[in-house]
Amino acid sequence: MTILRSIRAVLDGGPSSRDRALAGRLMRVIFGCYVIVAVGLTAVQMMVAYRAASQRLQDDVAALQRTFTPGIEDAMWRYNAEVLRGILAGMQEIPAVVGVEVRDEAGRRVQATGTFTDEAGAVWPVGRNEEAKLAARPFGTPFSRTFPVVHTDENGRIYPIGSWTVHSDDSIAIEQVKNTLYVILINSAIKSVMLWFIFYLVIRTMVGRPLGQIRDYLARMDADSLGAPPLMIEAGGRNELHALAGALNTMRDRLRWSFEENAALMRDLREMNATLQDRIAERTRDLETLAHTDLLTSLFNRRKLDEALAEATEDRERPLSLILGDIDNFKSVNDRHGHKVGDQVLIAFAGLLRDAVRPTDILGRWGGEEFMLLCPDTDLAAAVALAERLRQRVEETALPEAGTRTCSFGVATLAPGESTDSLVGRADAALYRCKRNGRNRVEVSASLWSETGLKERGAA
């Protein structure tokens, strides 16, 4: 009982209003620290974002030299004003460009578009008649890059013919940082509201109220009141306060409850063991499926295709054909749209093939943009017909972002005594001939061409 009196003395240190005052102070201190850290991190993030955006803007402007100098040089050398005007109009659409002007070798302006800032800091927008008029200076610091224009004739002689200047403004980078600030502020506001709610729930509800209940319970307990009703903590979750209440409630009958707890523990362990075994079995099945599946397209992967090839070639009395398909000029999709769109194109291409093949065929991703189709009980003529149907279907279907694309197919049929490596090699060689002969074709392995009497197929 001495222990109970000591605990009661510690907890019974004042009215419940002090608990609430302590909870409020804890909330203010914790939340104040969070605000200080958040503001500091936001400032650092804004500075880093601005520097990165400004550097990207500088790099974008510098990169324009490699892109547009050849066209400007050709247009100026040929005195083609329309082409030059079109080039400048195209450059004006680039976000990093606010103005472009072209001057001849004498420094006279040939053409200009957009706005530019002179040496005195005045902003001059160029009108439809290409006349400059003084305008108010926009927010931000303007900068420009001037690139020389020279022509080299067929004899290697160099002729300076002028220069062209790109005008930009770091307000573009500032605008990007401003948008980032809006996102950060909204994100911080949402986090602040959620954190304040969590603080309130944890400190006021899950700490203050249980402490008051424990203090009141101990105030009523003495040596003659051990038979009092058990202490019930009115707070969600399980924490140290619940453990303390449980210890107070089970102090008299610990021995009796220990047996029941042990029995309950054994039941829980048996149930957990059964559940764990089921999860292990399920995970094993998932791993087996994953080991034979291409993660991007959900088709069979190369490992599964190798196993299927080995199994299919065991029965040499039944015909077996192999088709290798490849998306034409797939690298241009990645270069133009990015690898994310390239992955979407591969997924859509795999779906086209999956919907078009027969139930008995085995379809998988051989590697990169190359797909393999194993056709059991299929001779060369049927395999070529199937490949041609696949080629036409792909050609007529628009793929995500990339539009309609074409593909090439190499076909080979397993010869008596031939190895799987040889079969794949002949199909790959046929696919290579498709690429060499113009793509969007179906080519047949040359070593079996004369035996089948078929004619090579292809699409222009």
Side-chain angles (χ1 to χ4, degrees):
M1 300 306 299
T2 302
I3 298 177
L4 291 176
R5 286 194 295 270
S6 299
I7 298 176
R8 182 174 58 191
V10 172
L11 294 177
D12 196 14
S16 60
S17 61
R18 293 186 180 181
D19 295 336
R20 291 194 294 271
L22 177 61
R25 184 176 180 182
L26 287 175
M27 292 177 63
R28 288 192 297 271
V29 171
I30 296 174
F31 197 76
C33 294
Y34 167 77
V35 170
I36 294 174
V37 173
V39 170
L41 291 177
T42 301
V44 173
Q45 188 175 1
M46 289 299 303
M47 180 177 64
V48 173
Y50 170 75
R51 290 184 177 179
S54 179
Q55 185 60 45
R56 286 195 302 269
L57 182 64
Q58 295 282 349
D59 295 340
D60 291 342
V61 172
L64 295 176
Q65 180 183 16
R66 298 189 300 270
T67 305
F68 292 98
T69 296
I72 295 175
E73 178 268 325
D74 184 73
M76 293 182 66
W77 182 257
R78 300 176 183 275
Y79 298 99
N80 195 328
E82 291 298 326
V83 172
L84 185 60
R85 186 177 296 108
I87 294 175
L88 267 60
M91 294 177 62
Q92 184 65 32
E93 299 298 325
I94 300 175
V97 177
V98 299
V100 186
E101 58 177 329
V102 180
R103 297 179 180 271
D104 58 16
E105 66 276 12
R108 295 184 297 269
R109 182 184 296 117
V110 177
Q111 285 193 23
T113 184
T115 62
F116 59 93
T117 305
D118 59 16
E119 296 179 355
V123 178
W124 296 88
V126 177
R128 301 182 64 88
N129 56 359
E130 298 187 357
E131 293 181 357
K133 298 180 179 180
L134 182 63
R137 179 176 176 178
F139 178 77
T141 303
F143 67 92
S144 62
R145 291 287 185 88
T146 300
F147 309 111
V149 180
V150 297
H151 175 75
T152 304
D153 62 10
E154 58 186 8
N155 296 323
R157 290 189 295 271
I158 298 176
Y159 300 91
I161 58 177
S163 64
W164 64 284
T165 303
V166 179
H167 296 273
S168 186
D169 199 295
D170 66 356
S171 60
I172 300 173
I174 297 175
E175 187 68 21
Q176 295 175 353
V177 175
K178 182 177 68 176
N179 295 334
T180 303
L181 177 60
Y182 292 155
V183 174
I184 294 174
L185 291 178
I186 294 173
N187 187 31
S188 299
I190 295 174
K191 289 181 179 179
S192 299
V193 172
M194 295 303 298
L195 284 174
W196 183 264
F197 174 78
I198 293 173
F199 293 159
Y200 179 87
L201 178 65
V202 173
I203 297 177
R204 290 187 178 273
T205 303
M206 298 182 65
V207 176
R209 184 185 301 171
L211 283 175
Q213 292 175 341
I214 294 175
R215 183 196 58 235
D216 295 339
Y217 180 81
L218 292 176
R220 297 189 303 267
M221 182 178 292
D222 54 25
D224 299 327
S225 61
L226 292 178
L231 173 62
M232 302 297 296
I233 299 297
E234 298 178 0
R238 300 296 299 177
N239 50 50
E240 292 82 356
L241 296 176
H242 291 84
L244 177 59
L248 294 174
N249 293 326
T250 59
M251 195 177 302
R252 298 168 302 168
D253 51 358
R254 182 180 300 273
L255 183 61
R256 177 173 56 89
W257 281 104
S258 62
F259 291 102
E260 296 181 2
E261 291 174 352
N262 289 337
L265 180 60
M266 291 301 298
R267 290 194 301 270
D268 292 342
L269 288 176
R270 285 193 294 267
E271 293 177 359
M272 185 182 300
N273 184 51
T275 302
L276 183 59
Q277 290 179 350
D278 293 340
R279 290 184 177 179
I280 291 175
E282 181 181 357
R283 184 58 177 170
T284 301
R285 292 191 296 269
D286 293 342
L287 290 176
E288 291 177 353
T289 301
L290 185 63
H292 296 92
T293 303
D294 178 66
L295 297 181
L296 178 63
T297 63
S298 297
L299 300 178
F300 287 137
N301 58 16
R302 185 159 185 166
R303 177 180 179 181
K304 178 62 177 178
L305 291 173
D306 288 335
E307 295 177 359
L309 268 172
E311 294 176 0
T313 53
E314 290 180 356
D315 189 358
R316 296 285 179 165
E317 296 181 358
R318 301 167 58 188
L320 172 66
S321 295
L322 184 145
I323 301 174
L324 279 179
D326 183 274
I327 303 175
D328 294 331
N329 297 316
F330 180 74
K331 184 177 181 298
S332 63
V333 176
N334 287 330
D335 293 342
R336 182 176 181 181
H337 302 283
H339 288 279
K340 185 175 181 180
V341 173
D343 290 344
Q344 295 177 358
V345 170
L346 289 176
I347 294 172
F349 182 75
L352 287 176
L353 298 181
R354 185 191 299 110
D355 295 339
V357 300
R358 303 167 301 181
T360 57
D361 297 332
I362 301 175
L363 175 63
R365 185 182 179 190
W366 188 243
E369 67 271 18
E370 199 170 50
F371 294 80
M372 176 181 288
L373 180 62
L374 295 179
C375 304
D377 297 323
T378 304
D379 58 15
L380 188 59
V384 172
L386 174 60
E388 181 62 25
R389 288 197 303 271
L390 294 177
R391 186 197 64 79
Q392 293 177 358
R393 181 165 185 171
V394 173
E395 185 180 26
E396 297 169 355
T397 304
L399 298 177
E401 300 292 339
T404 56
R405 308 292 300 183
T406 62
C407 59
S408 302
F409 293 94
V411 185
T413 299
L414 183 68
E418 186 178 19
S419 66
T420 57
D421 291 340
S422 175
L423 176 64
V424 175
R426 291 195 294 108
D428 189 63
L431 179 61
Y432 177 76
R433 287 200 304 276
C434 290
K435 303 297 184 179
R436 186 178 57 191
N437 293 335
R439 299 180 175 85
N440 194 19
R441 302 172 58 86
V442 175
E443 293 282 354
V444 180
S445 174
S447 62
L448 296 180
W449 184 252
S450 59
E451 298 177 9
T452 59
L454 295 174
K455 295 182 179 180
E456 292 185 344
R457 306 184 179 197

